[in-house]
């Protein structure tokens, strides 16, 4: 019985020593594999005394790691293992361009622009990061303003105005003697060159009847 207890105690002691050794090794590995992403966020215009640092924070991979701004705009995201991260600046007033930061196993950093369409295209940016504002957020759509041009170019208004303009301008044009002469010449040319439709129809039908009578007379002579 004593031998069994001694064996169990010895096994328990060996397992405890092995687990403590592996735990110490894992702590050393994790401590050496953690890195820091650093950079600076620049404010927008007229944001010096608005406390924009309190409203702004930096996150990596959609909130997996966070970093907060100092008074001068610099930030640090600590305890980051090696890998690829998309660093974004979150602010309720202005939008910032995200940056992809890649950390290899040797601790070397490379920053490049985020391109979701052409992922193979690499455009490097300087590191430590320099995040600048792009444009302000627009949460509400601007109300359309009434303009005179919108009223004038309305199709219904054009349909009403154009006939009135023609009615007012055409009589003045027709009273001009030169335009009258030109119109009369055009009328004479059209009347001289183009016969009336009634004459064309009558000649067509009369010509067809004459041909029929000629054909009948020629057949009678042959008989």
């Amino acid at each position: 019985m004593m031998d069994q207890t001694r064996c169990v105690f010895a096994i328990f002691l060996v397992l405890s020593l092995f687990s403590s050794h592996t735990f110490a090794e894992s702590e050393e590995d994790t401590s050496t594999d953690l890195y820091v992403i650093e950079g600076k966020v620049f404010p927008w215009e007229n944001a010096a005394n608005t406390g924009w640092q309190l409203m702004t924070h930096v996150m990596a991979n959609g909130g997996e790691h966070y970093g907060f701004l100092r008074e001068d705009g610099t930030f640090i995201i600590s305890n980051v293992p090696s890998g690829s991260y998309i660093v974004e600046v979150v602010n309720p007033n202005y939008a910032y361009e995200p940056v992809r930061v890649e950390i290899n196993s040797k601790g070397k950093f490379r920053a490049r622009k985020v391109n979701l369409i052409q992922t193979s295209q690499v455009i490097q940016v300087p590191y430590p990061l320099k995040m600048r504002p792009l444009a302000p957020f627009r949460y509400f759509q601007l109300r359309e303003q009434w303009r005179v041009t919108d009223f004038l170019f309305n199709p219904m208004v054009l349909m009403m105005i154009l006939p009135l303009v023609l009615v007012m301008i055409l009589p003045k044009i027709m009273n001009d003697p030169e335009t009258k002469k030109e119109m009369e010449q055009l009328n004479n040319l059209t009347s001289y060159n183009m016969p009336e439709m009634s004459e064309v129809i009558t000649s067509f039908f009369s010509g067809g009847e004459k041909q029929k009578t000629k054909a009948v007379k020629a057949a009678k002579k042959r008989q």
Side-chain angles (χ1 to χ4, degrees):
M1 187 71 181
M2 293 294 293
D3 294 335
Q4 290 180 356
T5 55
R6 287 177 181 175
C7 290
V8 171
F9 180 74
I11 292 168
F12 179 76
L13 183 63
V14 171
L15 291 174
S16 62
L17 289 173
F18 180 76
S19 62
S20 62
H21 180 68
T22 53
F23 181 73
E25 287 182 351
S26 64
E27 280 188 344
E28 289 177 357
D29 294 337
T30 53
S31 62
T32 56
D33 289 340
L34 295 178
Y35 302 97
V36 173
I37 298 174
E38 57 184 353
K40 184 176 181 180
V41 178
F42 291 88
W44 57 93
E45 295 180 357
N46 301 323
N49 299 321
T50 57
W52 65 277
Q53 297 92 342
L54 299 175
M55 298 184 295
T56 308
H57 63 274
V58 185
M59 65 179 182
N61 284 356
E64 186 176 350
H65 303 278
Y66 274 92
F68 296 93
L69 271 65
R70 301 188 182 97
E71 291 183 0
D72 57 351
T74 57
F75 67 90
I76 289 176
I77 303 176
S78 57
N79 298 327
V80 179
S82 60
S84 180
Y85 300 92
I86 296 178
V87 180
E88 299 174 282
V89 177
V90 181
N91 184 276
N93 297 323
Y94 272 78
Y96 287 78
E97 184 178 5
V99 179
R100 182 179 291 277
V101 178
E102 296 173 348
I103 310 170
N104 61 7
S105 59
K106 296 180 181 180
K108 291 184 178 180
F109 288 79
R110 184 180 73 168
R112 60 188 179 94
K113 290 186 177 182
V114 177
N115 193 344
L116 301 176
I117 298 173
Q118 296 179 353
T119 55
S120 60
Q121 186 178 5
V122 177
I123 302 175
Q124 292 190 8
V125 295
Y127 185 86
L129 302 176
K130 294 180 180 179
M131 316 290 281
R132 300 182 184 276
L134 292 176
F137 282 117
R138 291 183 178 178
Y139 295 102
F140 302 99
Q141 188 176 2
L142 295 175
R143 181 178 292 179
E144 294 183 359
Q145 297 180 356
W146 185 83
R147 298 178 182 176
V148 179
T149 54
D150 297 335
F151 176 75
L152 293 176
F153 289 108
N154 191 354
M156 298 298 292
V157 175
L158 290 174
M159 291 174 64
M160 295 172 61
I161 291 174
L162 284 176
L164 293 174
V165 172
L166 291 174
V167 168
M168 293 174 66
I169 293 173
L170 279 176
K172 294 181 180 179
I173 294 172
M174 294 300 294
N175 290 327
D176 190 6
E178 293 182 357
T179 54
K180 281 184 177 181
K181 288 180 180 180
E182 290 178 359
M183 293 295 291
E184 288 177 357
Q185 289 176 0
L186 288 172
N187 290 326
N188 292 330
L189 288 172
T190 53
S191 62
Y192 179 76
N193 293 326
M194 297 294 293
E196 294 183 358
M197 289 299 295
S198 59
E199 294 178 356
V200 173
I201 294 168
T202 52
S203 63
F204 176 76
F205 285 108
S206 63
E209 290 178 356
K210 288 179 180 178
Q211 288 179 358
K212 286 181 181 180
T213 53
K214 287 179 181 179
V216 171
K217 289 179 179 180
K220 288 181 179 180
K221 287 179 180 179
R222 291 175 184 175
Q223 291 176 357

